[in-house]
Amino acid sequence: MKNETFSTHVITPEQMLEHWQGHRNLTRRVIEAFPGDSLFTHTIGGMRPFSEMAVELIQVAGPGISAIVSGQWKEFGDMSDFKAETSPKTKDELLALWDRVTEHINELWPKISEERFQQKEIAFGQYEGEIWSHLCYFIDNEIHHRGQAYVYLRDLGVEPPFFWER
């Protein structure tokens, strides 16, 4: 047998970005689906309005991708790099901030070396793990909150976007 060099990737960085952005695209469509001011007001069982959950996702993804590239993690919720209002008052403001973070991810992603994904760091001063595991958490957290939004939308009589259409 010939000694061949091969990659041990299960998923390439490009595929990981496509997967993450697929989820972000779906979550954006969920935000769009909320009628009227229900994005900011509707709750069930003591859960937060989805607007607050979406802001949390923004506060994870935007500063998170910056930290993955720079190695400099700030405290959770620090949006100073974006000079952004983290309490959007309208759906349009929330979507604009969501889109800024999406563009930010796309701009920074190519700067992540393959070796970087295996490095261990403490994210947001609290969570130790490899960079790949932090990215998986970003996605898992988004899926979790999007599931809550699906419950809200159904309670409001709105059919949510199909979860498989990313």
Side-chain angles (χ1 to χ4, degrees):
M1 182 186 261
K2 201 173 173 182
N3 186 7
E4 295 182 36
T5 303
F6 62 92
S7 172
T8 58
H9 289 130
V10 171
I11 185 171
T12 67
E14 294 77 19
Q15 291 167 326
M16 182 72 165
L17 175 61
E18 181 180 349
H19 180 76
W20 186 16
Q21 291 294 28
H23 280 287
R24 290 185 55 76
N25 180 51
L26 178 55
T27 301
R28 188 186 197 288
R29 291 190 354 257
V30 167
I31 293 167
E32 289 174 328
F34 273 84
D37 68 347
S38 60
L39 177 64
F40 296 88
T41 60
H42 192 74
T43 65
I44 298 174
M47 293 190 298
R48 300 174 286 168
F50 188 60
S51 62
E52 292 180 24
M53 295 179 208
V55 167
E56 175 189 313
L57 299 174
I58 288 166
Q59 291 173 327
V60 167
I65 193 69
S66 293
I68 287 170
V69 170
S70 71
Q72 303 298 312
W73 291 88
K74 297 181 180 181
E75 287 187 29
F76 175 75
D78 184 338
M79 292 286 287
S80 59
D81 290 348
F82 291 89
K83 298 175 184 64
E85 170 62 47
T86 56
S87 298
K89 306 290 186 258
T90 67
K91 185 188 302 188
D92 287 342
E93 288 176 6
L94 181 59
L95 289 170
L97 184 55
W98 188 268
D99 292 344
R100 278 182 61 199
V101 170
T102 298
E103 291 171 20
H104 184 66
I105 292 167
N106 287 336
E107 289 170 12
L108 293 185
W109 190 267
K111 298 179 181 180
I112 305 170
S113 68
E114 287 196 31
E115 297 78 30
R116 181 81 176 114
F117 290 99
Q118 300 304 319
Q119 294 175 348
K120 189 176 278 191
E121 289 185 352
I122 299 175
F124 302 113
Q126 301 177 60
Y127 311 106
E128 185 174 357
E130 292 83 10
I131 295 302
W132 68 263
S133 70
H134 294 315
L135 287 166
C136 287
Y137 171 79
F138 297 177
I139 297 167
D140 291 345
N141 189 45
E142 182 170 337
I143 293 167
H144 163 72
H145 288 312
R146 191 172 61 236
Q148 291 171 305
Y150 274 50
V151 171
Y152 286 179
L153 289 172
R154 290 194 183 280
D155 188 56
L156 291 164
V158 176
E159 180 74 23
F162 297 123
F163 74 89
W164 58 85
E165 290 183 354
R166 293 192 299 255

